[in-house]
Amino acid sequence: MPPRAQIPAPLAQEPFHVREALALGVSHRRLAGKAYRRLLPSIWAPADLEMTEERWWVAARKYAPADARFTGATRLQQLGLDLGPHRPLQMVVGRDLHRDCPEVFLHRSDVMPAHDDVAVSPEAVFVEVCRWFTVLDAVAAGDWLIKQGLLSPEVLARLCHDEPWRDGAEQARWVARLLDGRSRSVPESHVRLYFQAAGLPRPEVNVPVDVAGTLLTPDWWWRLFRVASEYEGSQHQTHRGQYVADIDRYQLYRSADIEYRQITRELKATPRTVVRRVHEALVAGGYSGPSPRFGVAFQALNRTPREAMAAAPDLAVWTPVAPRR
């Protein structure tokens, strides 16, 4: 009989606890056979079961105690933002508990954050993210959570005020000053931070602009200097229709005497070049402020919030707009 045919139906489609197997008459000896494989301590699955991320989440729930909840990068991924490490899976429990498993990390907290039956609240997720992510990714996560209507800045501020002792609360309060829920993607959040850390004037984010009678929504718009900039992912190069639309949009900007800078995925890999190109456009539009700075604040974007707060506490402050010449 093939191994799959030996597996009881309730155990066939997802990971299961050894207790579930024993209740269905599957002994420890049978579990050690070719039909099954061990995923985590006491957690098994059919040997040929494809382990998607969703199934790993099921496995983690069955491995962890009933009062544990998902948090951090794992919860971001469950909500739909693929940012941060996939392993170990992140969970938290409100008591002293020691379990050693490389695939699932159980944080311990004296007091559980706000949570539902599955995970901690988005605000608590953000606080946890601010402990470990870089400033770039912590801001991208916060922007996305706000954009999706999942995170309330007011609730976050109240959480950080009421629970200042919680690890990550101080950092989350600081990072919150950098958030802008109008950003539509992780790269957009990253690039906006490049502008800020380098000392460029603050742009408006994703606001409608009348360009020669056509309403466009550039990712970043410096109204005073008539400069627009947009991030273009790989689809703008691989899809012919999008490529043609980009050319038409560029011509519209030119016809309206607007300096336009496109930032491609390849260009984003060199952040200083991104900043310099936009700075050149601002200068062409009359900006007379300082040249871009690539010192401690710029370098701090790739450090954790705790490290960045110590190295560049004023990172979250935008440079005042210099008068137009």
Side-chain angles (χ1 to χ4, degrees), residues 137-324:
D137 283 347
V139 168
D143 284 354
W144 185 88
L145 288 168
I146 294 174
K147 179 70 174 178
Q148 300 301 314
L150 298 170
L151 183 146
S152 164
E154 293 75 22
V155 173
L156 175 64
R158 189 160 58 249
L159 169 62
C160 294
H161 177 271
D162 293 346
E163 301 180 3
W165 47 265
R166 193 175 292 282
D167 287 345
E170 181 182 5
Q171 296 92 310
R173 189 201 302 262
W174 183 81
V175 173
R177 297 161 59 193
L178 294 160
L179 301 183
D180 191 323
R182 292 168 296 185
S183 288
R184 295 177 294 194
S185 68
V186 168
E188 284 187 31
S189 296
H190 287 175
V191 173
R192 188 185 77 250
L193 287 177
Y194 298 156
F195 298 151
Q196 182 164 351
L200 298 190
R202 186 173 194 164
E204 297 175 65
V205 177
N206 287 310
V207 295
V209 178
D210 187 331
V211 181
T214 299
L215 205 61
L216 300 179
T217 308
D219 297 335
W220 307 284
W221 169 239
W222 289 266
R223 189 179 303 273
L224 182 61
F225 308 105
R226 295 188 64 75
V227 172
S229 182
E230 296 175 343
Y231 175 78
E232 312 292 10
S234 58
Q235 77 278 5
H236 289 260
Q237 301 172 26
T238 58
H239 294 178
R240 179 64 182 175
Q242 184 64 61
Y243 176 73
V244 172
D246 290 344
I247 294 176
D248 292 342
R249 191 166 67 257
Y250 175 69
Q251 292 173 341
L252 274 173
Y253 282 124
R254 290 192 61 183
S255 70
D257 195 28
I258 292 174
E259 291 286 338
Y260 174 69
R261 295 295 184 271
Q262 185 186 74
I263 298 170
T264 63
R265 183 177 60 177
E266 292 75 17
L267 185 61
K268 180 181 176 290
T270 55
R272 297 186 183 201
T273 303
V274 168
V275 171
R276 289 191 182 104
R277 289 195 180 182
V278 170
H279 177 256
E280 290 171 0
L282 290 168
V283 170
Y287 175 64
S288 58
S291 298
R293 302 186 297 269
F294 301 112
V296 173
F298 201 81
Q299 297 165 18
L301 295 177
N302 288 300
R303 303 173 71 176
T304 67
R306 182 183 297 277
E307 294 168 332
M309 289 170 64
D314 294 331
L315 171 62
V317 180
W318 281 96
T319 299
V321 175
R324 184 183 175 91

Side-chain angles (χ1 to χ4, degrees), residues 105-132:
F105 186 81
L106 280 167
H107 301 272
R108 300 183 299 276
S109 176
D110 291 337
V111 179
M112 276 290 286
H115 59 276
D116 57 23
D117 291 342
V118 175
V120 302
S121 70
E123 290 78 18
V125 169
F126 181 70
V127 169
E128 181 62 30
V129 158
C130 286
R131 295 179 61 196
W132 310 109

